[in-house]
Amino acid sequence: DDDIRFQDLPAEYEEQRFLPARPYPAWDRNWDYCEPSDREVARALRHAWPIADYADAVRSLYAEHTNRSSERVERLLERTPEAELPALYRRAYLEHAYGGAPTRHIILVR
């Protein structure tokens, strides 16, 4: 049966089973530090921290680092919900001001 590989481990391999210390939602998605925080983005762009108005911060980021018209940026801000503006700020930084997150290489040596 093809589903046998998804069943429990045989008894002789049970001690090798790995169970994470914390369940999935608590995992650290940024374990390799490839996603900068809002504070790191503001520091790199020399914006004031803490950011009082993310819409203004996004406008200034696009004005400083792209050739997009202000009308296009305003349309983007209108489509973006208020709660998602911090994510837009980080994404715009990675795409336009920084060029992307750092690439981490993990080298396994045997």
Side-chain angles (χ1 to χ4, degrees):
D1 195 19
D2 287 339
D3 291 335
I4 197 163
R5 66 178 190 202
F6 299 113
Q7 294 176 357
D8 286 335
L9 288 173
E12 67 259 18
Y13 298 115
E14 188 64 33
E15 65 184 29
Q16 296 178 15
R17 178 189 302 265
F18 174 75
L19 295 174
R22 300 175 76 174
Y24 168 70
W27 289 359
D28 183 8
R29 290 186 56 236
N30 197 21
W31 62 271
D32 57 357
Y33 301 104
C34 284
E35 297 175 19
S37 66
D38 293 349
R39 183 182 206 143
E40 293 167 337
V41 172
R43 184 182 310 134
L45 295 173
R46 295 187 175 98
H47 289 173
W49 178 259
I51 297 172
D53 186 9
Y54 275 96
D56 284 340
V58 170
R59 284 185 197 98
S60 66
L61 188 150
Y62 275 99
E64 294 168 4
H65 298 283
T66 69
N67 293 330
R68 284 195 183 176
S69 66
S70 59
E71 294 83 21
R72 235 176 117 186
V73 175
E74 288 302 320
R75 283 197 306 267
L76 174 65
L77 289 172
E78 288 171 3
R79 287 192 320 253
T80 306
E82 185 76 26
E84 293 180 19
L85 285 177
L88 175 63
Y89 180 65
R90 290 187 302 272
R91 188 173 67 241
Y93 168 73
L94 291 175
E95 291 175 1
H96 302 293
Y98 182 71
T103 302
R104 305 278 180 171
H105 299 282
I106 300 173
I107 300 171
L108 302 174
V109 179
R110 195 168 142 181

